Amino acid sequence: MRFAVSLLMFICVASLIGTVLQQNQAASNYIDKFGPFWFAIFDKFSIWHIYNSWWFLLIMAFLVVSTTICLVRNSPKMVHDARSFREYVRGSSLRSFHHRVEATAQASPAESLARIQQWLGSQGYKFKVRQDGASMLLAAKKGGANRLGYIFAHAAIVVICVGGLLDSELPVRLQVWLGGKVPITENMLISQVPDSGRLSARNPSFRANMMVPEGAQSSSGVVSVDNGVLVQPLPFSLKLNKFLVDYYSTGMPSSFKSEVEVTDPQTGKSFSQTIEVNEPLRYKGVTVYQSSFDDGGSKLQLVGYPLVGARNQPFDINGAVGKATEITVNNGVQQAPLAIDFSGLRVINVENLAGDVAPQPKAVMEHVASVTGSAAGAKNENLRNVGPSVQYRIVGSDGQAHEYTNYMLPMMLDGSLVFLAGVRDTASQPYRYIRIPADADSSVAEFMDLRAALANPALVHEAAARFAAKNANSGMQQPLLQKAAAGALETFSRAGFNGIIEKVPEQDREKVLGFAVPMIQLSLMELRDLMRGQAGKPALDHDGAPGQDAEKWMQMALLALANLPDYPAPIFMTLKGYEQLEASVFQVARSPGKNTVYLGCLLLVIGVFSMFYIRDRRIWVWIKPQGRGSELLAAMTSQRRTLDFNHEFDRFKEAFKRLST
C-alpha cells in the first residue's frame, strides 16, 4: 500500500507538470524557454508530452498492478469481516470495552433478549444469537458497507488508471514495439504508405489528426509517434462541404464550424452534420472533434521585384499555399534558381496603428532600423484591419532558408503610407520588419526602380555629379564632393550605413553619419529625378507641400534601402490577388477508456461516500440468568470513535436501561 501511495504521488506531480507546462509544442519553443542545456535534460524525460511518456505509463502500470495485488490480498478479509457478527466474543472480555453498560432486569433472559432484539431491529441492526449454556450472547452490527468503501475506492484507482492507459498512446506504441509498425518520417502520399506505416481499422484506441480542405474528403487520420507518423484508417469517409468562421473585432476567430458529409463505405449511406467546437460528430465508436482550421491550399498571385542588380522589371509568380514553386531569377549577371515554399495566407490582420508620431532617433548602429517584433509597435492602442498577408519560405541555391511575411496593402504608420515586409531566420524568432514607402499608385514600384537605379553605376555617377554641382562651394571642391557622393552611394547600396561607419572609430561615427546621411539623401533625390526622367515620368516638385511629401518619401526610402542588406532575399514579392481555400483540422479519436473512467469515477464516489458517511458499529449484549431475572452486560464499538459515536452510545445506554427495567 505504501508503494501504491508513492506511485500515486509521482502521478500527481507529473500531472501538475503536464498542466502547468503546455504540451505537444514545437521543440524550438521549449529550447527558447529553457535553453539548450535544460532542454536536453528535460527531453530525456519527455515532459513535453508527459502523459504519453514511457515512465508515466510505466508508473501507471505499476500502480495498477500494485493496487490490484492489494485488492486481491485484502478484499476477501474485508468482505469476511463485514459479513461476520463476531459472535464468539467472550462475555468477560466485554468488561474491557470503554463504551459499556451493565444492568439487571426482573424479566427472564429470553424476555430480555426479545426486548433487545426488537429495539436493535428498529434501529437497523442485524444480529445473531449464540447460546452458551444458560447464557446468551447477542451480536449486532450496522454499517458493514463501510468496508466496501475501501474496496470501491481502491478499485476505482485501478479502473481509472486502466481507462487512462487505454486512451493513451500505449496501444499504438505496443504495435510499434511488438507489432512491426514503423512510423513514416518521409513526405509521401497516403496511398504510397506501406502496410508497416498503417494501423488497423480495428485499432482499439487512437487519437489522430485529419485536415480536410473545402470540397475534399478523407478517410484516414494521422497519428504522431515520436518523430514520425502512422496512418489510421477510419470506418467512414468525411467530406468538408463548407467551412464557416466568424471573427472578433480583434481579428481572432470567435467561432468556427464545418458542414460535413459522412459516408459509410459498407452500406453506401451518407448523412450531413455540422461539427462545432463543443458539438463533435460521433459515429461507429469514433468521435470527430473540431480542433482548428488552416489554409487548404489557397491560390496566390504575386508580383516579384529583383533585389539584386540593376534590373527592375517586375514579373508574375503564381503559387499555392502548402506547395513549393520553382522560379529563376535573372539579376542581369546570371540566372539563379530559387525555391519558394508558400506556408500561409492570412486574410485578416488586425494591428495597432494609432498615433502620428515622427520616427524617434535610435542608436547609431540601429537608427536605420524601422520596426522589430510586432508589425505595428507596442505603443499604439487602436486596432485596425490592415488586410491580407502572405507567408513564405525562400530556399536559396546554398540550401539556406528564411521565412518572410508581406502585407498586401500599404498602411499608415507614423504618418507615412508604407508596406511592411518581415523576415526571420527560424519559426521561434519574431519577425523583423522593414518599411517600404508606397508611391502615388500605392505600390512599391517606384521604390524598386530607385533600388535598381542605385545599382546602376552610370546613374549613380550622374546623380553624384548633380549633387556636387548644386552643393559645392567652389569649382575646385566639386570633383571631390562628386567623388565622395558616388563612393557613399556605392557603399550604401552594398552594406547600408554599417558599411560607411564600419572602419570609423567609435568616437567619430556620429560625426561621420551627420555628414554622410544628408549627402546620401540629397544624392538619392537626384537619382530619383534621373530615374523618373528615363521612365518618361514628370519631374517632382521640390517646393511647397509637394516638396515636403517628396522629402518625406525619400526619408522612408532611405531607411528602407539601409535595411535591404539585412533582408536576405534575392527578390521582393507583393500579393496581387488570391483565391482563398479553407481547411478544417479535426481530431479523430476512439477512446474506449472513457466509459471505463466514468465507471471508475462512479466507484470512487461510492467508495468515498461509504468510507466517510457510513460508520461501522457493533453491539454485543451478554445475557445470563440471575435468580428469577437476568443480568445484562452490553458493549458498543466503532472503527472511528467520533463525537457522533459518543452521542449514539449515550442514546443506546438510555434505551438499554429502559429495556432492562
Side-chain angles (χ1 to χ4, degrees):
M1 179 59 67
R2 289 192 295 269
F3 181 63
V5 172
S6 301
L7 294 180
L8 192 60
M9 291 301 299
F10 273 109
I11 290 179
C12 291
V13 172
S15 300
L16 180 63
I17 296 174
T19 302
V20 174
L21 181 64
Q22 193 172 8
Q23 300 287 288
N24 301 316
Q25 299 296 303
S28 56
N29 295 344
Y30 299 117
I31 294 175
D32 292 340
K33 188 172 184 177
F34 298 105
F37 175 77
W38 288 109
F39 171 81
I41 294 178
F42 293 154
D43 188 53
K44 294 185 180 298
F45 296 96
S46 303
I47 68 171
W48 329 122
H49 42 88
I50 199 168
Y51 299 116
N52 288 302
S53 60
W54 63 269
W55 60 268
F56 186 83
L57 297 178
L58 186 62
I59 288 177
M60 288 186 64
F62 268 114
L63 181 61
V64 169
V65 173
S66 176
T67 310
T68 301
I69 293 175
C70 178
L71 278 173
V72 171
R73 293 177 59 184
N74 296 319
S75 293
K77 300 177 184 178
M78 291 184 178
V79 172
H80 179 269
D81 185 66
R83 298 176 61 183
S84 173
F85 285 88
R86 301 182 188 176
E87 68 274 17
Y88 295 101
V89 174
R90 299 176 60 183
S92 58
S93 65
L94 296 181
R95 297 186 183 278
S96 63
F97 280 71
H98 181 269
H99 295 83
R100 69 181 185 278
V101 57
E102 299 182 50
T104 57
Q106 297 179 356
S108 63
E111 190 176 349
S112 297
L113 176 63
R115 290 180 181 180
I116 295 175
Q117 284 178 332
Q118 183 180 4
W119 183 86
L120 289 174
S122 65
Q123 297 298 316
Y125 282 86
K126 295 180 180 180
F127 49 83
K128 188 175 183 179
V129 179
R130 178 174 64 88
Q131 193 75 33
D132 188 5
S135 302
M136 293 174 290
L137 178 68
L138 175 64
K141 65 183 180 69
K142 183 171 71 170
N146 174 270
R147 292 286 187 176
L148 297 179
Y150 290 93
I151 297 175
F152 285 163
H154 289 80
I157 295 176
V158 175
V159 173
I160 291 174
C161 289
V162 169
L165 290 173
L166 287 176
D167 284 352
S168 68
E169 291 183 358
L170 185 59
V172 174
R173 289 185 178 274
L174 287 176
Q175 296 181 60
V176 174
W177 297 335
L178 306 176
K181 299 299 180 181
V182 180
I184 304 300
T185 57
E186 302 175 358
N187 292 327
M188 64 176 64
L189 298 175
I190 291 182
S191 59
Q192 299 174 340
V193 175
D195 292 339
S196 61
R198 294 178 180 271
L199 297 170
S200 171
R202 296 185 298 274
N203 190 14
S205 174
F206 61 84
R207 191 175 298 274
N209 292 318
M210 179 172 63
M211 188 178 78
V212 184
E214 282 184 326
Q217 70 177 18
S218 176
S219 59
S220 301
V222 176
V223 180
S224 297
V225 180
D226 296 330
N227 296 324
V229 296
L230 294 172
V231 175
Q232 174 61 61
L234 303 178
F236 55 85
S237 63
L238 188 145
K239 179 181 179 181
L240 179 62
N241 291 328
K242 191 173 183 180
F243 178 79
L244 304 173
V245 58
D246 296 324
Y247 294 91
Y248 291 112
S249 59
T250 59
M252 296 297 293
S254 60
S255 66
F256 46 92
K257 54 187 177 182
S258 302
E259 296 180 356
V260 301
E261 181 180 345
V262 181
T263 303
D264 190 333
Q266 295 181 350
T267 63
K269 296 181 179 180
S270 62
F271 62 91
S272 299
Q273 184 169 332
T274 300
I275 303 177
E276 298 186 48
V277 173
N278 295 320
E279 298 181 10
L281 164 69
R282 292 182 175 89
Y283 186 64
K284 284 193 168 183
V286 177
T287 305
V288 182
Y289 300 92
Q290 179 73 65
S291 175
S292 62
F293 61 94
D294 206 338
D295 195 286
S298 298
K299 298 180 181 179
L300 307 173
Q301 300 88 43
L302 303 100
V303 178
Y305 295 89
L307 291 180
V308 179
R311 295 179 62 91
N312 62 340
Q313 186 65 34
F315 53 93
D316 292 332
I317 301 174
N318 295 320
V321 175
K323 297 181 180 180
T325 300
E326 300 285 342
I327 65 172
T328 301
V329 179
N330 188 351
N331 57 16
V333 179
Q334 61 180 355
Q335 292 186 347
L338 204 63
I340 305 174
D341 184 10
F342 295 101
S343 57
L345 170 69
R346 294 185 60 184
V347 178
I348 295 180
N349 291 276
V350 177
E351 300 284 358
N352 279 324
L353 301 180
D356 189 14
V357 183
Q360 299 297 316
K362 301 177 177 63
V364 174
M365 298 299 291
E366 300 176 354
H367 82 283
V368 295
S370 51
V371 182
T372 58
S374 172
K379 296 183 179 180
N380 299 323
E381 298 176 355
N382 294 339
L383 296 174
R384 185 178 304 168
N385 180 17
V386 297
S389 64
V390 62
Q391 293 79 43
Y392 56 91
R393 295 174 69 248
I394 293 182
V395 182
S397 56
D398 56 355
Q400 293 187 350
H402 298 275
E403 297 185 19
Y404 302 86
T405 180
N406 290 350
Y407 289 83
M408 181 178 182
L409 303 175
M411 60 192 74
M412 188 65 67
L413 290 177
D414 297 329
S416 298
L417 197 63
V418 296
F419 286 89
L420 284 181
V423 60
R424 62 183 181 185
D425 300 328
T426 63
S428 62
Q429 297 177 345
Y431 281 104
R432 308 183 304 274
Y433 288 88
I434 64 172
R435 301 180 182 184
I436 298 177
D439 54 26
D441 297 327
S442 296
S443 72
V444 298
E446 187 160 1
F447 173 81
M448 293 299 168
D449 290 341
L450 180 63
R451 185 219 60 81
L454 189 60
N456 188 326
L459 290 178
V460 167
H461 283 82
E462 187 174 350
R466 289 192 178 189
F467 164 77
K470 293 181 180 179
N471 295 277
N473 294 329
S474 62
M476 296 181 61
Q477 188 185 22
Q478 183 173 343
L480 296 176
L481 190 58
Q482 177 181 349
K483 183 178 180 181
L489 286 177
E490 182 181 353
T491 303
F492 176 75
S493 174
R494 184 183 69 255
F497 286 118
N498 289 335
I500 294 177
I501 61 174
E502 61 182 354
K503 296 182 180 180
V504 178
E506 183 73 28
Q507 64 273 14
D508 296 331
R509 289 182 176 179
E510 288 285 353
K511 182 178 179 181
V512 170
L513 281 176
F515 170 76
V517 170
M519 179 176 63
I520 293 174
Q521 180 174 334
L522 293 174
S523 299
L524 286 176
M525 294 179 67
E526 300 293 340
L527 183 62
R528 185 185 183 190
D529 289 338
L530 287 171
M531 172 199 72
R532 291 178 62 89
Q534 283 190 349
K537 297 180 180 180
L540 293 173
D541 187 358
H542 296 286
D543 297 326
Q548 294 179 358
D549 293 339
E551 183 178 359
K552 191 172 186 179
W553 187 93
M554 183 54 64
Q555 290 175 351
M556 297 302 301
L558 178 69
L559 296 178
L561 290 170
N563 278 328
L564 279 184
D566 297 324
Y567 189 79
I571 61 171
F572 177 84
M573 293 190 295
T574 61
L575 184 62
K576 183 174 67 173
Y578 60 88
E579 182 181 342
Q580 188 182 21
L581 183 63
E582 297 276 15
S584 277
V585 178
F586 300 107
Q587 186 179 84
V588 188
R590 178 181 285 157
S591 51
K594 179 180 63 176
N595 294 330
T596 305
V597 172
Y598 288 161
L599 175 61
C601 292
L602 178 61
L603 292 176
L604 185 61
V605 171
I606 295 175
V608 172
F609 179 85
S610 301
M611 286 190 297
F612 286 95
Y613 295 99
I614 298 179
R615 299 192 306 275
D616 179 24
R617 287 147 293 177
R618 293 180 179 270
I619 295 177
W620 293 272
V621 181
W622 182 261
I623 305 174
K624 64 180 180 178
Q626 186 181 40
R628 294 183 179 181
S630 56
E631 181 182 350
L632 307 177
L633 173 61
M636 187 176 183
T637 187
S638 176
Q639 283 183 321
R640 295 192 301 271
R641 298 176 183 178
T642 61
L643 186 61
D644 290 338
F645 172 74
N646 293 329
H647 292 328
E648 187 171 356
F649 175 73
D650 291 339
R651 292 192 295 270
F652 167 71
K653 188 176 181 181
E654 294 176 2
F656 184 79
K657 290 181 177 179
R658 288 198 307 269
L659 294 173
S660 62
T661 57

